[in-house]
């Protein structure tokens, strides 16, 4: 029986038609599996703790308007506004920037630095969980005069590539800055029986932040200095830092616009970058699925045309006692073999493409580790199983329709 039907297949099958199916479905399957594997490998770059595009933290401020400036409106957040923000479903954690209630005058230079600067500056503090630097030296001991400081990396870049180059001054590295002692003069804005109006401290830069655009000191130091130099005063945060699950959530933009809040540009840029990468991956995945569906339709159409050509002969086989299942079996085997060939070819294509882009990810992310290949393989097997079941049902129904047509 199988020999007879196989002879019919070999005699009337359109090899170019099946080759076109294999090529088209191979392209579609390769695109789908590559998109799945690409997104799996891309995920650590979007969500990892040291990710170069990690957008989970957003710094929020009140919008500064001309009317607000003229009327002297406060830019500080009230307790009610903070509680309202904490209650939003997109907020996972919220931190407050604690401002200094005292003035800071710093003298920097001497020793390993050939020039000396003196300037007014400011301090802020934020919870350690929002910091993106090594916290090994990030602690404050009240019994000493030394204060650890974290600077924005942009400050060092501005000096090296802006101020230093225009003034003919030498550039400095992070190691040199970390070795420099900063003399600090802290002056209280209030006087009273419990206040110390002036305190002298020394500081050292222990890290540079890419995310937080401010001069940071430990929270314990900030609380201690505010208590000594501004007793009785309560610091009001003018900036908040929140951790969100999905920075591209439309509810965030709507809430900020409704409340008149702004976010720092770096946060929104990171969010846009992450959202763009996800959108591109999704578009590629959809295109691959469309190509695969069209190719699958071509295969099914080819099999139906083949069955139509042999309607009479298949009917004769059914009339002499062969079951519809036995008649349809060679057609089932043909589709399964073609789909397996497509899957193997697509997996090989994914391996080749992956070998090209993985080194690029390694250059962007020093601690990058490629994800496992198993999810992609499982997706490919799932598609193979789904297509095979649909083919089986369609071919079986077609053969039974031929049989019932001549009953």
């Amino acid at each position: 029986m199988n020999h007879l039907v196989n002879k019919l297949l070999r005699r009337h099958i359109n090899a170019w038609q099946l080759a076109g199916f294999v090529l088209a479905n191979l392209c579609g399957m390769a695109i789908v599996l590559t998109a799945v594997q690409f997104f799996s490998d891309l995920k650590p770059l979007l969500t990892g703790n040291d990710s170069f595009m990690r957008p989970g933290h957003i710094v929020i401020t009140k919008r500064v308007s001309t009317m607000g400036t003229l009327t002297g409106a406060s830019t500080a957040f009230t307790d009610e506004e903070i509680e309202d923000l904490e209650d939003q479903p997109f907020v996972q954690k919220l931190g407050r920037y604690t401002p200094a209630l005292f003035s800071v005058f710093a003298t920097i230079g001497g020793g390993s630095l050939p020039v000396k600067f003196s300037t007014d500056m400011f301090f802020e503090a934020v919870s350690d969980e929002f910091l993106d630097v090594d916290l090994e030296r990030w602690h404050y001991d009240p019994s000493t005069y030394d204060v650890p400081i974290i600077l924005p990396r942009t400050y060092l870049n501005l000096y090296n590539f802006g101020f230093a180059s225009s003034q003919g001054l030498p550039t400095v590295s992070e190691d040199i800055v970390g070795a420099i002692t900063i003399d600090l003069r802290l002056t209280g804005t209030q006087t009273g029986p419990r206040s110390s109006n002036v305190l002298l401290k020394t500081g050292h830069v222990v890290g540079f932040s890419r995310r937080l655009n401010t001069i940071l000191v430990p929270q314990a130091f900030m609380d201690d200095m505010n208590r000594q130099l501004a007793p009785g005063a309560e610091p009001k945060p003018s900036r908040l830092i929140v951790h969100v699950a999905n920075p591209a959530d439309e509810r965030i933009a709507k809430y900020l616009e409704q409340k008149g809040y702004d976010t720092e540009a770096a946060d929104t840029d990171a969010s846009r970058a992450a959202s763009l990468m996800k959108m591109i991956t999704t578009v590629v995945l959809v295109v691959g699925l469309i190509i695969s569906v069209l190719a699958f339709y071509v295969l099914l159409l080819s099999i139906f045309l083949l069955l139509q050509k042999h309607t009479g002969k298949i009917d004769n086989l059914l009339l002499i006692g062969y079951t519809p299942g036995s008649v349809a079996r060679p057609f089932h085997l043909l589709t399964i073999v073609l789909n397996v060939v497509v899957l193997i070819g697509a997996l090989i294509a994914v391996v080749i493409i992956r070998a090209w882009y993985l080194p690029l990810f390694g250059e962007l992310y020093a601690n990058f580790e490629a994800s496992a290949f198993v999810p992609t393989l499982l997706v490919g097997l799932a598609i193979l199983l789904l297509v095979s079941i649909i083919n089986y049902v369609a071919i079986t129904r077609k053969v039974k329709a031929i049989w019932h047509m001549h009953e």
Side-chain angles (χ1 to χ4, degrees), residues 127-183:
S127 177
D128 292 355
E129 62 184 317
F130 295 101
L131 301 181
D132 57 341
V133 298
D134 185 6
L135 301 180
E136 182 179 354
R137 299 168 58 194
W138 187 247
H139 60 273
Y140 167 65
D141 185 355
S143 63
T144 66
Y145 287 91
D146 190 66
V147 182
I149 298 172
I150 293 176
L151 291 178
R153 195 174 299 275
T154 53
Y155 282 24
L156 183 61
N157 293 337
L158 286 173
Y159 170 80
N160 283 332
F161 307 115
F163 185 76
S165 59
S166 65
Q167 301 297 319
L169 298 173
T171 57
V172 294
S173 66
E174 293 183 10
D175 292 336
I176 292 178
V177 174
I180 297 171
T181 298
I182 304 174
D183 296 320

Side-chain angles (χ1 to χ4, degrees), residues 34-182:
T34 300
V36 171
Q37 187 63 49
F38 180 80
F39 185 77
S40 298
D41 292 329
L42 184 68
K43 194 173 182 180
L45 277 70
L46 299 176
T47 61
N49 290 333
D50 298 321
S51 169
F52 77 101
M53 278 197 308
R54 189 184 184 202
H57 292 158
I58 298 177
V59 177
I60 297 177
T61 60
K62 285 189 173 181
R63 188 171 300 157
V64 178
S65 63
T66 303
M67 183 59 67
T69 301
L70 295 176
T71 59
S74 174
T75 58
F77 288 92
T78 65
D79 291 339
E80 292 76 14
E81 290 170 333
I82 295 175
E83 290 176 2
D84 182 67
L85 180 58
E86 282 182 314
D87 291 337
Q88 298 307 308
F90 52 79
V91 175
Q92 294 186 329
K93 294 180 183 178
L94 183 145
R96 311 181 185 200
Y97 279 83
T98 304
L101 301 178
F102 50 88
S103 59
V104 181
F105 186 79
T107 301
I108 308 169
S112 56
L113 191 66
V115 291
K116 196 171 186 178
F117 301 97
S118 294
T119 183
D120 289 305
M121 61 190 303
F122 66 94
F123 285 154
E124 285 186 303
V126 74
S127 177
D128 292 355
E129 62 184 317
F130 295 101
L131 301 181
D132 57 341
V133 298
D134 185 6
L135 301 180
E136 182 179 354
R137 299 168 58 194
W138 187 247
H139 60 273
Y140 167 65
D141 185 355
S143 63
T144 66
Y145 287 91
D146 190 66
V147 182
I149 298 172
I150 293 176
L151 291 178
R153 195 174 299 275
T154 53
Y155 282 24
L156 183 61
N157 293 337
L158 286 173
Y159 170 80
N160 283 332
F161 307 115
F163 185 76
S165 59
S166 65
Q167 301 297 319
L169 298 173
T171 57
V172 294
S173 66
E174 293 183 10
D175 292 336
I176 292 178
V177 174
I180 297 171
T181 298
I182 304 174

Side-chain angles (χ1 to χ4, degrees), residues 217-240:
V217 292
Q219 186 70 55
F221 170 79
M222 180 64 76
D223 294 340
D224 190 21
M225 292 301 99
N226 279 340
R227 185 168 50 252
Q228 293 187 46
L229 298 173
E234 182 181 355
K236 295 290 186 180
S238 58
R239 295 198 294 171
L240 303 174

